[in-house]
Amino acid sequence: MPKLKLPAPPLPDRLNPRPKRPGSTKTKPLAEAGISAIDWVDERTSLSQGARWMMFRKIPKGTNWFYTLGSATLFAFLSQTVTGVFLAMYYRPDAAGGAYESVRYITNEVFLGEFVRGMHKWGSSVMVILIFLHMARTFFFGAYKYPRELNWVIGVALLVLTMAMSFTGYLLPFDQRSYWATIVGVNINGTGPFVGPYLSDFLRAGPEFGATTLARFYAIHMLLIPGILAALIGAHLYLVAKLGTTAPPWIKADDPVQKEEKA
Amino acid sequence: MPDRHQTKSKYTTDRRIPGAFEGETVTRRRFMTASAHTYGGVATMMFVLPSLAFALGPIFEEQDQPWQDVGAADEFDEKSYIPKTITIASGVGEAGKSTVYMRRFDPKIDKEPKDEYNDFIAVSTRCMHLGCPVRYVPAAERFICPCHGGVYNFRGEVDGGPPVRPLDRFYTRVRGGRVEVGPRFSVNREIKRFSPRDPGQALDGIGQYLYPARPSIRKLPNT
């Protein structure tokens, strides 16, 4: 008998499986095998506890479609991760012409290359738009207030990191637009007083846009920031599950005094 | 009930800890904890510090700016600019090339002090707003930037638009009848030479203090 029991959804009786007839020996060997494999892992990790804690949470009355914007952003991030990993299989960060050539090759020659690159390119804009919608939802529903301030702060860090992803990713196709947009972007960074000049030297790896600038942007874009992003998303989700979500502002809290009077 | 922490002696012998000896104040448990943390910190710093220095190194390393031949001295005059291509970053092909506009020093309009490095004026095409490439328009006798409408006069001084200072220049010298273009320098409103600054960084007023010179690129000393 499997030990793992997942909570059953509240289905009407006629949709629930019929109870076994007494004396019946019919079993489903495939399902049993699957469940016992999960059991084996669960017995050694107790992962089902965590999964249950994360997935089967109580949510407030009035929860609506606006509450899906955060998961939508998460899925945009996952899509960027997967397409990005596969783009990296063909991309070459070579400023002497190889980068542009490899992007041209991805777009024109690789099977579904244009599609995967398109998903990554347009997906980045989608992710930024979703982040702002998610942020607006949090703001207008007052979901940033106590005790969720830290989650707002983490969210702002995630927004800034996503912007940094957009900035570093823009250079990678290495066409005229990327090149000059990056020159302008680095120089905007340079206008910060005192630290600006050193910041732009750091971004360019020197005083001029040179041989290692593209490699530097590539490393920041695909190794440094994604790692930090993933870790912070984990913290963001942990706090959502721990603190729970808020009801929309138009939902009145149940007043126990009023309830008693009515009854 | 008295506070336990207050009455505790700092000597391990007074606290009757097994194996304690005279005058000992740090328990072995605390000593081991502290040393494990120290070793962990040292081990982490052993790879973090070199990696950081590796990434930040280019900020402190002065870039080599070699002199480059751009043509014969009699090729250039005072009246108009002639575009020449130089390499400002090696190893990146076309992306490392840049245009300089060349003309002869004209005492009638060039008021900056004359020295061995400005027989010829080499004006950089890097717009001092945010770094787009300006072009010289002979009919207007002006440098015009395609991005945000920066306009510079014949000497490269700001005529209009968002740029914060005149166009950068390069040192020039004549060797055996050939003109050579050397390191870059930035100029303020009086065409005084400064170590190169990036676009968008003003050099007039407090600008030169807000945007200090960087170790990675310097003007020639004493010029």
Side-chain angles (χ1 to χ4, degrees), chain A residues 187, chain B residues 81 101 123-169 184 187-189 191 198-201:
Chain A
N187 285 328
Chain B
Y81 283 100
Y101 281 108
V123 177
S124 156
T125 50
R126 180 175 290 168
C127 180
M128 285 303 126
H129 174 220
L130 288 172
C132 288
V134 297
R135 73 192 184 287
Y136 180 67
V137 181
E141 294 194 333
R142 275 173 174 77
F143 294 90
I144 295 174
C145 180
C147 289
H148 312 104
V151 179
Y152 306 82
N153 69 11
F154 187 73
R155 290 179 74 200
E157 296 161 316
V158 182
D159 249 6
V164 295
R165 59 168 206 260
L167 289 169
D168 279 0
R169 296 182 175 192
R184 171 189 292 272
V187 292
N188 66 358
R189 202 180 298 157
I191 316 291
D198 277 328
Q201 304 177 3

Side-chain angles (χ1 to χ4, degrees), chain A residues 61 252-263:
Chain A
K61 207 192 286 181
K252 297 270 181 296
D254 284 335
D255 188 348
V257 182
Q258 254 183 4
K259 246 186 191 170
E260 262 175 48
E261 279 171 1
K262 270 184 193 166

Side-chain angles (χ1 to χ4, degrees), chain A residues 115-126:
Chain A
F115 181 66
V116 173
R117 189 184 156 215
M119 283 208 289
H120 198 74
K121 182 192 162 154
W122 296 103
S124 69
S125 300
V126 169

Side-chain angles (χ1 to χ4, degrees), chain B residues 134-222:
Chain B
V134 297
R135 73 192 184 287
Y136 180 67
V137 181
E141 294 194 333
R142 275 173 174 77
F143 294 90
I144 295 174
C145 180
C147 289
H148 312 104
V151 179
Y152 306 82
N153 69 11
F154 187 73
R155 290 179 74 200
E157 296 161 316
V158 182
D159 249 6
V164 295
R165 59 168 206 260
L167 289 169
D168 279 0
R169 296 182 175 192
F170 292 90
Y171 290 97
T172 58
R173 68 181 187 193
V174 182
R175 285 287 181 277
R178 308 285 297 175
V179 181
E180 290 180 341
V181 168
R184 171 189 292 272
F185 60 88
S186 294
V187 292
N188 66 358
R189 202 180 298 157
E190 284 88 44
I191 316 291
K192 184 175 175 298
R193 290 183 182 129
F194 285 87
S195 284
R197 306 298 205 276
D198 277 328
Q201 304 177 3
L203 276 174
D204 296 302
I206 59 164
Q208 56 171 310
Y209 307 109
L210 287 180
Y211 304 112
R214 299 158 291 162
S216 59
I217 188 163
R218 291 287 188 189
K219 63 174 184 175
L220 294 180
N222 310 319

Side-chain angles (χ1 to χ4, degrees), chain A:
Chain A
M1 231 355 233
K3 279 157 286 189
L4 183 74
K5 263 194 195 144
L6 290 174
L11 290 173
D13 274 348
R14 61 194 164 81
L15 288 179
N16 275 328
R18 290 189 184 173
K20 264 187 203 166
R21 288 179 164 281
S24 152
T25 50
K26 245 192 357 194
T27 51
K28 292 177 187 157
L30 213 61
E32 293 272 328
I35 288 175
S36 59
I38 295 171
D39 267 345
W40 189 88
V41 175
D42 192 44
E43 201 175 329
R44 284 152 184 82
T45 59
S46 302
L47 270 181
S48 70
Q49 248 180 350
R52 195 172 290 135
W53 177 79
M54 192 76 201
M55 292 195 289
F56 301 99
R57 280 175 282 134
K58 290 200 169 73
I59 56 165
K61 207 192 286 181
T63 295
N64 55 49
W65 280 100
F66 287 116
Y67 288 76
T68 59
L69 287 167
S71 345
T73 315
L74 174 65
F75 275 87
F77 173 74
L78 291 178
S79 154
Q80 292 302 94
T81 313
V82 171
T83 52
V85 164
F86 289 110
L87 284 170
M89 291 179 177
Y90 293 96
Y91 180 73
R92 259 185 309 141
D94 166 23
Y100 179 79
E101 178 52 34
S102 69
V103 173
R104 193 204 58 75
Y105 181 76
I106 290 171
T107 316
N108 296 342
E109 314 284 338
V110 181
F111 177 65
L112 284 183
E114 196 177 4
F115 181 66
V116 173
R117 189 184 156 215
M119 283 208 289
H120 198 74
K121 182 192 162 154
W122 296 103
S124 69
S125 300
V126 169
M127 185 169 164
V128 171
I129 292 168
L130 283 171
I131 284 183
F132 276 112
L133 290 175
H134 176 54
M135 200 175 184
R137 200 285 295 172
T138 310
F139 180 75
F140 287 117
F141 282 22
Y144 56 88
K145 292 176 189 170
Y146 177 84
R148 299 182 181 80
E149 301 98 322
L150 183 60
N151 228 12
W152 175 271
V153 171
I154 294 175
V156 170
L158 286 168
L159 169 68
V160 172
L161 287 171
T162 308
M163 292 297 178
M165 284 299 269
S166 308
F167 177 61
T168 49
Y170 207 85
L171 176 66
L172 303 186
F174 216 62
D175 50 17
Q176 288 287 336
R177 194 205 316 233
S178 322
Y179 179 82
W180 291 109
T182 303
I183 294 272
V184 167
V186 169
N187 285 328
I188 291 174
N189 277 301
T191 57
F194 306 117
V195 289
Y198 306 101
L199 183 61
S200 33
D201 266 15
F202 168 73
L203 284 171
R204 275 186 308 238
E208 302 287 351
F209 192 107
T212 50
T213 310
L214 180 59
R216 184 166 281 245
F217 271 59
Y218 186 47
I220 294 174
H221 182 78
M222 76 161 222
L223 296 169
L224 185 62
I225 302 181
I228 306 173
L229 264 181
L232 284 181
I233 287 175
H236 202 67
L237 283 177
Y238 168 76
L239 282 183
V240 166
K242 181 174 166 55
L243 302 171
T245 52
T246 47
W250 56 80
I251 297 288
K252 297 270 181 296
D254 284 335
D255 188 348
V257 182
Q258 254 183 4
K259 246 186 191 170
E260 262 175 48
E261 279 171 1
K262 270 184 193 166

